Amino acid sequence: MRTVYLDSVCKDRATVRHAEWLTGLGCAVRTVPALPLRMMVIDRRVALVPIDPANTRKGAVQISSPGVITALLSLFEQTWADATPFGAPRERDEQGLTRQEQELLRLLGQGYTDEAAGKHLGLSLRTVRRMMADLMDRLGARSRFEAGLPAGRRGWL
């Protein structure tokens, strides 16, 4: 079994214990800043995907069409390849950004609100705002608008 969680689960003790339990049983667990789609694929033949990706509490639909399963497996494999092994230290890129910070900047650059970006990353609004305050401090900016120019110059955007 292989599974990919959001990086943000590392802050939830219950989920960390569950992931550690899974790895103890031989499951491979990795994390990413943002998931393209929540899904479960069983035996490469059946998939469960949310009816409404924005609200997974609405339920799931079962898919068994070979073409769709192939596409979902390809999406999973790409996500898996980009993911970091669970528990690995959070590395920073050559610009000093974590993958989560990079993804937050990408989402905000696409017009996401703090709240929407946080939901996409599995982070609270408070955490998103704290991360942005830290990024702005590192850029020496007093406002997000002011932060845009040095962020662009540094290749953060």
Side-chain angles (χ1 to χ4, degrees), residues 36-38 50-56:
L37 174 72
R38 296 183 89 136
I51 291 170
D52 179 357
N55 184 358
T56 56

Side-chain angles (χ1 to χ4, degrees), residues 39 48 50:
M39 69 173 142
L48 298 174

Side-chain angles (χ1 to χ4, degrees), residues 1-129:
M1 179 175 146
R2 295 183 296 162
T3 189
V4 180
Y5 289 126
L6 289 170
D7 287 342
S8 61
V9 302
C10 296
K11 296 177 181 164
D12 181 72
R13 287 185 185 187
T15 306
V16 168
R17 283 195 301 270
H18 180 72
E20 290 169 345
W21 176 75
L22 286 173
T23 57
L25 294 173
C27 178
V29 179
R30 293 186 179 185
T31 64
V32 292
L35 288 168
L37 174 72
R38 296 183 89 136
M39 69 173 142
M40 181 182 294
V41 180
I42 301 111
D43 295 334
R44 298 181 162 276
R45 292 184 304 191
V46 176
L48 298 174
V49 296
I51 291 170
D52 179 357
N55 184 358
T56 56
R57 292 180 182 205
K58 288 185 178 180
V61 64
Q62 179 178 321
I63 298 171
S64 57
S65 169
V68 177
I69 296 295
T70 299
L72 291 173
L73 287 169
S74 179
L75 177 61
F76 176 82
E77 292 299 340
Q78 180 61 50
T79 303
W80 182 261
D82 293 339
T84 300
F86 183 77
R90 292 187 183 194
E91 295 181 13
R92 295 185 179 272
D93 67 5
E94 60 280 349
Q95 303 296 325
L97 298 172
T98 66
R99 294 179 322 146
Q100 200 171 50
E101 290 169 337
Q102 292 168 355
E103 186 65 13
L104 175 60
L105 290 170
R106 187 186 71 76
L107 293 171
L108 294 174
Q110 289 181 345
Y112 280 63
T113 63
D114 287 356
E115 188 174 3
K119 187 173 183 179
H120 193 76
L121 297 171
L123 300 171
S124 71
L125 179 59
R126 184 176 165 190
T127 299
V128 168
R129 290 186 174 156

